[in-house]
Every structure is written in structure tokens, then in C-alpha cells.
Amino acid sequence: MKFQKRFWATAFTLTGSIIGAGILGLPYVFSQSGFLIGIFWLIFLGAIMMFVNLSLGEVTLRTKKIHQIPGYAGKYLGKWGKRILLLAVMFGIYSALLAYLIGEGQILSKLFFGDVKYAIYFAFGFWAVMTLLLREGLRNLKKVELWGVIVIIGIILGIFIGLSQNINPNNLNYYDVSNFFLPFGIVLFALLGFTSIPELRIEIKRREKLLKKAIIVGTLIPIILYFIFTLVFVGVLGKNISEISTLSFGNTIIVLGIFTMMTSYFVLSFSLRDIFIYDLEKRRSLAFIFVSISPILIYFFFIFFDLASFIRILGIGGAISGGITGILILLMNIKAKEKGNRVPEFSIPINWFVIGILSLILIIGIFLELF
């Protein structure tokens, strides 16, 4: 029983870090491009992210010392790899935290007051609660992820059961080829969970043989839930979906947005703290300041100058951070096979041809999202 609980807690850590603000943006971009086009990108990029996640899992198992992703890049790619990956990962995390603060502020304001004009106050309150939880450390990480993910799964299944009879097949058959690439950045963002994989290695200590299965299950659960979630939203509402999709329905469904972003915010904050402590070798007190104070300052800056929308932040953050990090993880894997100082519990087949094809796809995605 304890053995199974550890496995599911580990898998749910990955699931919880993947399911965040991205899920709330998927119905909007799927409705604009067409449901079938959106599902194509979900399956296609889901397969790529599964491969990359397993590749990173192997890297952690080939290394005796625990690092966060930039630390592994430094070990296997050198200083240039560490610096680039550090910037990419931090850009992605801060983009995500910014999106979560924007999303949580709007959702909570809508829930309590029926509109979003009080979003800034609720965003600050949400940030304060998450900051207090972060101080409690890894013990609470497991609790937040385990129960948070269970709640998310329950709500999504409840939405499907309650609204599936209202799905209009005509809403699912619509497509717009001119928007074919629109979902790319959002879907990639919605599938990112790289930063939590070193945490998985810590959580599943002395049961490393289960890491591969935990990564597969932890990645598959979000893909399945995204399919169900977007099927209901697009099927019922068609193109009448707001950028933060849960605002398109009533208060019960709004709660889903609260839990998805809460669990992911916590895990990403914890991963960011580890980067400052383990990879940049900063004191815990200083790392806590960078992790807790910086996101709220960035939020106030973006809100004051009205710099970007919820969807735009997700798309750019996903394409740039996910693309660059994914490419470097593949390079790390092939180097770790040569230089690793530990025998891994599993190995992913990879060669330069595979790296070249996947890298080309991710690079094209970055340019499409930016230009």
C-alpha cells in the first residue's frame, strides 16, 4: 500500500506540474483552429514530450548527484549549455507563474463578484497563500500534488458526465486551415513538465525502477484529461469560448481553474527554488526571495503596462522555453550515455537523426509563435 502510494504521488507530481494554466487556454485555440486540428497537435506534441520527459528521466538516473535541469546541462553540455538552459527554464517558469497569477486573479474575481475587475487583489491573495505553502517544503509538495490532481481529475470527469449530452457534433467538425499552427505554442505550454522530473527522482528514491512508469503515467493523464476537457468545451460552446475557458461556464467549473493553477504554481515555484539553491548555489533565504517576490513584481509590471494577454503569454512561454529546453534535453541524453557515472534503471533509444528531426519541429514552432 505504501509502495503504491509513493508511485502515484510521484506520477501525480508530474501530472500536477503539467496541468496548469495551459489547460484553460486549450479550448479557446481549439475552437479557433478546429477541434480535430487541436487534437492532432495534442497527440503529436504529446508523443514528443513523452519522449523528451523519458530522456530527461534517464539523464537523472545516469547521474549520482541531484541537480535541477540546468545543473545536468552544465555537467553534460558544459557552461554554454547550462547558461542557455538556465535562461530557457527560468523564462518558462516565470512565464507560467505570471500566467497563473493573471488567471487565478480573474477566476477568483469572477467567482466571488461576477466580473474580473477585482482580479489584481485576488492575484495578490493567491500569491500570498502559495508563498506560505512554499516555505513548508517537499512534504507539502506531495500533499498538494496528490490531492490537487485527484480533485482536478474528479472535476473534469464531472464536467464530462454533466455536459456530454449537450455536445453538438457540428462544433467539432469545424476547422480553419489558416489557424492550423495556432494551437502549437499553447499545446506545448500545456504539456511542459520538465522541471518536476528531478523532483520525481527525489520522491521515488530507492524505487528508481518505477521512474519510467511514473513518467509515462504522469504524462498520459494530462493528455487524456485535455482531450476530455476540450471535447466538452468546444462541443458545447463552439467558438463562444473566452481565453480563460472556465470563465465561459458557471461557478462550479470555475473551481477547476483554481485547482489546476494552484497545484502547478506550487510545483514550479519549488523547482525554481531548487535552481537557485542547487544550480546557482544561492542561500535558501536569497532563493526564496527570487522565487516568491519576483513573480508578483512581474505581474504588477505586466498589468500596469497591459503588455500581453493570457493566451499570448502561454504561447510564447511554451514555444520558447519548451522548444529550447526540449532540444537541450535530447543533447544531454546522448552525452549522458557516454559520460554518466551511474547505471540507469532504463535507457531511451536515441540517435542524431532523431535529435535533428525533433529539434527542427521545435525550432519551427518557436518561429511560428513569434512571427
Side-chain angles (χ1 to χ4, degrees):
M1 185 67 180
K2 186 177 180 180
F3 172 79
Q4 292 179 340
K5 186 177 180 181
R6 177 183 290 190
F7 168 78
W8 284 107
T10 303
F12 281 178
T13 293
L14 178 56
T15 294
S17 67
I18 291 175
I19 300 177
I23 189 176
L24 305 181
L26 290 177
Y28 174 78
V29 293
F30 279 27
S31 70
Q32 299 301 306
S33 67
F35 179 73
L36 294 180
I37 290 176
I39 292 302
F40 162 77
W41 284 115
L42 179 62
I43 295 173
F44 181 70
L45 292 176
I48 292 177
M49 288 301 101
M50 175 80 75
F51 185 83
V52 175
N53 287 343
L54 288 170
S55 297
L56 180 56
E58 181 188 343
V59 171
T60 68
L61 291 175
R62 287 187 178 274
T63 313
K64 291 181 179 180
K65 187 177 178 181
I66 300 296
H67 301 276
Q68 247 298 334
I69 302 179
Y72 291 112
K75 179 176 178 61
Y76 294 114
L77 300 179
K79 291 183 179 180
W80 70 269
K82 180 175 181 178
R83 288 169 183 168
I84 294 174
L85 197 50
L86 181 63
L87 291 174
V89 169
M90 293 181 68
F91 178 80
I93 292 178
Y94 278 121
S95 296
L97 298 181
L98 172 61
Y100 297 158
L101 289 172
I102 292 173
E104 284 286 8
Q106 293 186 16
I107 285 176
L108 290 170
S109 180
K110 178 76 172 179
L111 179 64
F112 288 101
F113 291 99
D115 57 48
V116 298
K117 65 181 180 180
Y118 300 104
I120 191 170
Y121 304 107
F122 282 101
F124 182 81
F126 170 76
W127 165 82
V129 171
M130 290 297 100
T131 299
L132 290 174
L133 285 175
L134 182 62
R135 293 184 65 89
E136 297 299 320
L138 187 60
R139 180 171 55 87
N140 272 348
L141 169 63
K142 295 180 180 179
K143 292 181 180 179
V144 169
E145 283 309 300
L146 180 60
W147 293 107
V149 172
I150 289 173
V151 170
I152 290 169
I153 293 173
I155 293 175
I156 292 178
L157 293 179
I159 291 172
F160 178 75
I161 294 171
L163 297 174
S164 59
Q165 68 271 19
N166 297 325
I167 293 176
N168 182 352
N170 292 329
N171 292 334
L172 302 175
N173 294 329
Y174 163 84
Y175 64 91
D176 183 354
V177 177
S178 65
N179 284 327
F180 182 80
F181 292 102
L182 178 64
F184 185 95
I186 309 298
V187 172
L188 190 58
F189 183 99
L191 292 170
L192 295 182
F194 301 142
T195 55
S196 70
I197 290 179
E199 302 294 341
L200 269 59
R201 166 74 191 282
I202 297 172
E203 287 189 42
I204 210 163
K205 189 176 181 180
R206 293 188 293 274
R207 294 286 189 276
E208 282 83 0
K209 290 183 179 180
L210 292 175
L211 183 60
K212 181 179 181 179
K213 184 178 178 181
I215 291 174
I216 292 173
V217 172
T219 307
L220 276 178
I221 291 175
I223 294 173
I224 295 170
L225 293 178
Y226 291 166
F227 173 81
I228 296 171
F229 187 73
T230 53
L231 174 68
V232 172
F233 270 77
V234 179
V236 174
L237 297 176
K239 296 186 71 174
N240 299 315
I241 300 175
S242 60
E243 286 195 0
I244 304 176
S245 59
T246 50
L247 295 177
S248 302
F249 276 120
N251 289 346
T252 302
I253 297 178
I254 284 178
V255 174
L256 173 65
I258 297 173
F259 276 99
T260 55
M261 288 187 282
M262 179 189 73
T263 55
S264 193
Y265 190 101
F266 189 74
V267 173
L268 289 179
S269 295
F270 205 95
S271 297
L272 185 60
R273 193 187 77 166
D274 282 355
I275 290 175
F276 283 106
I277 293 174
Y278 294 119
D279 296 323
L280 297 180
E281 299 180 345
K282 303 296 183 182
R283 298 191 308 273
R284 287 182 177 270
S285 57
L286 185 60
F288 183 79
I289 291 174
F290 280 115
V291 173
S292 62
I293 304 300
S294 296
I296 197 65
L297 294 179
I298 295 171
Y299 170 78
F300 286 139
F301 180 79
F302 269 73
I303 293 298
F304 183 78
F305 290 103
D306 194 21
L307 293 179
S309 68
F310 179 77
I311 287 294
R312 188 65 175 152
I313 292 170
L314 296 184
I316 293 177
I320 294 177
S321 178
I324 294 174
T325 305
I327 292 169
L328 292 181
I329 286 173
L330 296 175
L331 295 175
M332 281 193 296
N333 182 279
I334 207 164
K335 290 295 183 180
K337 291 181 189 298
E338 302 171 0
K339 302 178 180 179
N341 55 15
R342 184 183 181 278
V343 178
E345 280 69 17
F346 70 88
S347 180
I348 300 300
I350 192 172
N351 56 47
W352 288 108
F353 177 77
V354 172
I355 292 176
I357 293 297
L358 296 182
S359 298
L360 181 62
I361 292 170
L362 295 174
I363 290 171
I364 291 173
I366 292 173
F367 279 95
L368 287 172
E369 188 63 39
L370 290 177
F371 305 109

